Amino acid sequence: MGSTERIRQVALRVAKWVRAGHRMVVVPSAMSGETNRLLALAQELSPQALTPAYYRELDMLAATGEQVSSALLAIALQALGLQSVSYAGWQVPIRTDSAYTKARIESIDDARLRADLDAGKVVIVTGFQGLDEGGNVTTLGRGGSDTSAVAVAAAMKADECLIYTDVDGVYTTDPRVVPEARRLHTLSFEEMLEMASLGSKVLQIRSVEFAGKYKVRLRVLSSFTPWDIDIDEEANSGTLITFEEDHTMEQAIVSGIAFNRDESKISVLGVPDKPGIAYQILGPVADANVEVDMIIQNISKEGKADFSFTVHRNDHPKTMELLRNQVVPKLGAMDVIGDTKICKVSIVGIGMRSHAGVARKMFQALSEEGINIQMISTSEIKTSVVLDEKYLELAVRALHKAFGLEAEPA
Ligand code: ASP
Ligand code: MG
């Protein structure tokens, strides 16, 4: 919502749903650019205050953005002749833990919301914010209004949670890389989690986890379609993220190709091959709060092994230093080498559970393009490979084609 005119359009859209007989709870996020603007103000005054007291005030500040849009939306709805009431997180209340700037929702009291719905009102619940045990305002992390909406939908046992966003759904891969990428009509929560954590930044990941856990059907759709399109058309637009047992689920084996340019690879070479090595290498890495993604160990000649893993690129320098200074000398390893010019490409699909030969097809497609695979990892619904980053586009295009993702599944 970038302007009062946009807010009016949202109100008209909501009114359309209400007039079609739906009881609506709406969770607005801030007007566009507003959260960044607010956080920049804090930064101007205190560029490096990292105390809990500072984070408390950041939340107090950032939470105002959503409150403005909530009140304005209620006003816009009233102007259309509907009854509407807005609530801040603390008024509902939406209870969270006390982790300022990344709080987690613990409970939502739905009593007030239900009473208002029963009274025929459109209820507006302010997104992104909550209240901790000590009565402090908290926020849920960037993009957190998605999670607010899902949590409210779960508490209200809503039929569906519609998330209007600036994309019109979830695609088989990034259309900037593969122009033939296709919007998915449906996707399972598990697939969406794999797609999201691998870089399809459509929704806050936590909202998808929440929706999966509390069984909320989630639809991602565009906020840019005109408000007055046919309601049935709107109700079937975008991408429905839902449960596997939902029989409308598309039957493709691979649903999408995800990729990630944020990782880097680290190899500890010539490690004595004996028990406890993984622990001695990765223990200190974990202690330094560095998350490790893929791991492989190769047994090489003469009782020595090479041990490789990937970490986020931001953690690369720190991890290299730690290994070089502490781990390599202690283990009597030969060397540690790092490579930040890698990427990770994954095929994702629940159909992989029941179909053999999917990974083989992936490796074949990459091999036909002459792309060398540096690491491989698999899970039930995903196979990922680490490649030289210069092959990213080529690999994603080749895989998209190999799995026929440009065409609707039969
Ligand atoms: N306004 C918050 C943000 O920009 C929350 C949201 O938009 O979902 O991160
Ligand atoms: Mg958002």
Side-chain angles (χ1 to χ4, degrees), residues 281-338:
I281 294 175
L282 296 180
V285 174
D287 290 342
N289 268 324
V290 173
E291 239 182 87
V292 170
D293 182 23
M294 287 166 118
I295 304 171
I296 53 169
Q297 184 180 344
N298 294 325
I299 310 298
S300 55
K301 305 171 286 274
E302 289 142 27
K304 302 267 186 185
D306 295 338
F307 193 92
S308 303
F309 56 96
T310 62
V311 299
H312 194 281
R313 269 188 210 184
N314 295 345
D315 290 327
H316 186 83
K318 148 166 142 186
T319 313
M320 286 294 284
E321 195 182 292
L322 179 129
L323 292 170
R324 203 173 277 132
N325 298 337
Q326 298 176 26
V327 176
V328 167
K330 196 165 149 211
L331 278 180
M334 254 158 53
D335 201 3
V336 49
I337 55 172

Side-chain angles (χ1 to χ4, degrees), residues 29-31 34-36 62 65-66 127-128 141-147 204:
S29 95
M31 290 172 75
E34 182 60 8
T35 310
N36 287 343
E66 269 64 16
F128 185 49
R142 297 311 304 271
S145 55
D146 297 343
T147 302
Q204 196 194 39

Side-chain angles (χ1 to χ4, degrees), residues 229-248:
I229 66 164
D230 178 69
I231 195 159
D232 293 327
E233 186 185 332
E234 185 163 322
N236 286 305
S237 67
T239 300
L240 178 65
I241 304 165
T242 186
F243 320 107
E244 211 175 320
E245 51 278 15
D246 207 317
H247 54 266
T248 60

